[in-house]
């Protein structure tokens, strides 16, 4: 038996990328940081690109797709997302290496499989071409990621009530945002139902969806200007305390770092799997290979 692993490689407005899998194979969620940084962080785990079975993309904003062309067309990783998001990636001026052979289409509300990892994409309200949350089932563990979520949705919350591990957006402290230096139009965009989830909204969702099977909660996509890890943690922690749940004892709670990779979190045991799924040429990503 081996551990199921989760690691945040980056989480925030500067870039987002996460690993889910085992010590032998797995998937990436989003590719919003430099490909060579992704490779460096994978190698710290004893992995490399040949151990990645695919990349699933939440939406087409730059902080989630910076390296998608490099990973798809130079490293030859399949890139999974909806047709609408693929169209948005095509239009994104920051993606100079357009996806051709690596493009894979998925549908919302229809489960698909990547090497035994079952994935369900659900719609999320956000001002991108389309936006997805992912429910990931593997070896009896349910992992869910909900980011760039302008407003809560009952359908998403029903799935959160079944998750063992939850990554959820806590983007901003409303008072910090309102009193900060952002122009009015940007404040209004962030606060809109198609913007980003605040600490208070995140806390309210956690209070509604917590159940005894929920083992880990990670707070993601924190704003550098309008939030702090302490503020996000305090709001979520107080919400749990309100329902008699002790963070650190009954559930693990952590605000993810924006720029630094997190520790590698073991989630539970999975059957031993082969190390290499398909042959890919071993390579090192250089600055010349970047988007």
């Amino acid at each position: 038996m081996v551990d199921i692993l989760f690691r945040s490689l980056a989480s925030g407005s500067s870039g987002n990328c996460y690993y889910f899998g085992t010590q032998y194979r797995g998937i990436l969620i989003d590719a919003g940081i430099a490909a060579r940084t992704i490779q460096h962080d994978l190698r710290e785990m004893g992995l490399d690109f040949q151990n990645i079975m695919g990349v699933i993309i939440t939406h087409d904003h730059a902080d989630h797709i910076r390296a998608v062309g490099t990973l798809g067309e130079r490293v030859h990783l399949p890139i999974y997302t909806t047709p609408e998001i693929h169209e948005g990636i095509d239009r994104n001026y920051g993606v100079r290496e357009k996806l051709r052979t690596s493009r894979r289409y998925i549908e919302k509300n229809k489960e698909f499989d990547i090497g035994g990892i079952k994935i369900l994409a659900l719609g999320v309200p956000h001002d991108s071409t389309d936006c997805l949350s992912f429910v990931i089932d593997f070896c009896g563990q349910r992992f869910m990621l909900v980011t760039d979520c302008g407003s809560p949705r009952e359908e998403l919350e029903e799935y959160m009530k079944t998750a063992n591990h939850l990554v959820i957006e806590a983007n901003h402290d409303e008072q910090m945002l309102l009193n900060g230096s952002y122009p009015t139009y940007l404040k209004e965009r962030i606060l809109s139902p198609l913007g980003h989830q605040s600490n208070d909204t995140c806390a309210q969702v956690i209070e509604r969806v917590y159940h005894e099977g929920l083992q880990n909660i990670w707070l993601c996509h924190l704003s550098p200007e309008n939030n702090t890890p302490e503020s996000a943690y305090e709001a979520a922690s107080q919400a749990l305390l309100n329902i008699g749940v002790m963070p650190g004892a009954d559930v693990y709670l952590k605000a993810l770092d924006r720029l630094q990779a997190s520790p590698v979190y073991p989630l539970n045991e999975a059957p031993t799997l082969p190390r290499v799924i398909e042959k890919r040429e071993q390579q090192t990503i250089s600055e010349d290979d970047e988007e």
Side-chain angles (χ1 to χ4, degrees):
M1 302 292 282
V2 296
D3 284 327
I4 303 171
L5 306 176
F6 165 69
R7 191 183 197 193
S8 169
L9 309 187
S11 179
S13 55
S14 301
N16 299 271
C17 185
Y18 309 92
Y19 174 82
F20 176 89
T22 71
Q23 67 190 70
Y24 300 127
R25 66 176 185 172
I27 60 174
L28 295 176
I29 307 170
D30 285 338
I33 58 176
R36 64 183 181 278
T37 303
I38 296 172
Q39 185 172 52
H40 171 271
D41 293 339
L42 289 174
R43 286 179 171 177
E44 283 188 340
M45 302 170 65
L47 301 170
D48 211 319
F49 287 133
Q50 76 265 24
N51 305 107
I52 302 300
M53 299 181 290
V55 185
I56 58 177
I57 300 294
T58 59
H59 64 291
D60 58 324
H61 284 169
D63 56 324
H64 295 259
I65 60 169
R66 174 180 174 181
V68 74
T70 300
L71 297 186
E73 298 304 316
R74 302 190 191 187
V75 182
H76 308 297
L77 298 180
I79 309 297
Y80 295 85
T81 197
T82 63
E84 294 81 4
I85 295 172
H86 271 302
E87 290 175 8
I89 293 171
D90 284 345
R91 293 191 298 268
N92 192 300
Y93 68 90
V95 181
R96 295 184 306 215
E97 182 85 49
K98 300 305 180 183
L99 300 179
R100 301 178 302 278
T101 61
S102 59
R103 194 183 300 234
R104 304 289 186 275
Y105 293 109
I106 64 173
E107 298 178 36
K108 284 184 283 190
N109 304 307
K110 185 175 181 180
E111 189 177 75
F112 63 103
D113 184 289
I114 302 178
I117 298 175
K118 298 186 182 301
I119 305 166
L120 180 68
L122 304 172
V124 174
H126 192 52
D127 58 359
S128 52
T129 305
D130 194 5
C131 193
L132 305 175
S133 163
F134 291 114
V135 182
I136 300 174
D137 289 306
F138 184 52
C139 294
Q141 295 293 299
R142 173 161 284 182
F143 176 93
M144 189 168 180
L145 183 139
V146 185
T147 187
D148 294 67
C149 185
S151 51
R153 277 189 175 176
E154 184 176 350
E155 178 192 29
L156 293 176
E157 293 191 17
E158 289 304 308
Y159 276 97
M160 290 185 218
K161 292 175 183 177
T162 68
N164 306 114
H165 317 281
L166 176 63
V167 181
I168 184 169
E169 180 180 43
N171 176 256
H172 59 275
D173 176 286
E174 279 199 30
Q175 290 308 308
M176 288 180 67
L177 175 62
L178 290 170
N179 296 325
S181 61
Y182 277 12
T184 300
Y185 82 88
L186 186 52
K187 292 179 181 180
E188 291 175 348
R189 178 205 163 232
I190 293 169
L191 292 169
S192 81
L194 295 177
H196 287 278
Q197 187 163 262
S198 71
N199 290 349
D200 287 344
T201 302
C202 175
Q204 292 162 14
V205 171
I206 289 172
E207 191 168 341
R208 289 194 295 268
V209 305
Y210 175 81
H211 61 103
E212 289 187 359
L214 185 57
Q215 301 168 31
N216 296 290
I217 303 171
W218 292 281
L219 309 175
C220 72
H221 212 298
L222 274 65
S223 166
E225 294 87 1
N226 302 307
N227 209 356
T228 66
E230 294 76 17
S231 179
Y233 181 92
E234 176 60 29
S237 176
Q238 187 57 56
L240 290 166
L241 291 171
N242 290 344
I243 55 174
V245 177
M246 182 65 66
D250 300 319
V251 64
Y252 180 79
L253 176 66
K254 176 70 175 178
L256 294 171
D257 195 284
R258 292 177 47 251
L259 302 175
Q260 300 297 318
S262 73
V264 179
Y265 294 102
L267 305 184
N268 214 321
E269 290 188 335
T272 302
L273 300 169
R275 185 171 181 82
V276 178
I277 302 307
E278 62 179 272
K279 284 288 229 181
R280 293 194 191 97
E281 183 180 348
Q282 183 88 0
Q283 65 183 107
T284 297
I285 299 296
S286 68
E287 290 188 20
D288 293 336
D289 293 316
E290 292 292 354
E291 292 295 327

